[in-house]
Amino acid sequence: MSVTSGAESAEPLEVWIDQDLCTGDGICAQYAPEVFELDIDGLAYVKGEDDELRQQPGQSVPVPLTLLQDVVDSARECPGDCIHVRRVADGVEVYGPDAD
């Protein structure tokens, strides 16, 4: 099953993690290690193309189109419901606990 419609697939997306809800299971890092990583505190964080973790609350990174399915699967499988994927253009969450 495709995760996006034709119109949505070309739109830039970004992802962030709410560490207050993170359970540290690491499922996200298994699905998309290029985007997610567990830190020494046992919580997951997003990381940019520079491989640096974004540790400030609400910091996001772009979702590479080639990894979109893996990021979406991470959001769907996350036991903490803490992964948020939103459109860059309007900030609307398209995958994650606050998506319609």
Side-chain angles (χ1 to χ4, degrees), residues 37-97:
E37 185 174 315
L38 293 177
D39 199 12
I40 194 166
D41 62 6
L43 301 177
Y45 293 86
V46 292
K47 61 182 178 177
E49 291 179 0
D50 58 3
D51 270 349
E52 291 297 318
L53 299 185
R54 304 304 193 250
Q55 295 178 308
Q56 295 302 311
Q59 272 188 306
S60 64
V61 297
V63 177
L65 190 56
T66 56
L67 297 175
L68 177 59
Q69 185 65 57
D70 293 333
V71 170
V72 169
D73 288 344
S74 297
R76 288 183 177 152
E77 299 296 324
C78 176
D81 279 335
C82 64
I83 300 172
H84 302 266
V85 181
R86 63 186 172 211
R87 288 190 300 253
V88 172
D90 59 9
V92 171
E93 187 160 319
V94 291
Y95 305 106

Side-chain angles (χ1 to χ4, degrees), residues 8-56:
E8 249 185 11
S9 64
E11 291 186 277
L13 300 175
E14 60 188 4
V15 61
W16 66 282
I17 295 177
D18 183 343
Q19 278 76 31
D20 289 340
L21 300 175
C22 180
T23 59
D25 286 81
I27 291 171
C28 56
Q30 292 174 12
Y31 274 111
E34 304 87 349
V35 178
F36 305 107
E37 185 174 315
L38 293 177
D39 199 12
I40 194 166
D41 62 6
L43 301 177
Y45 293 86
V46 292
K47 61 182 178 177
E49 291 179 0
D50 58 3
D51 270 349
E52 291 297 318
L53 299 185
R54 304 304 193 250
Q55 295 178 308
Q56 295 302 311

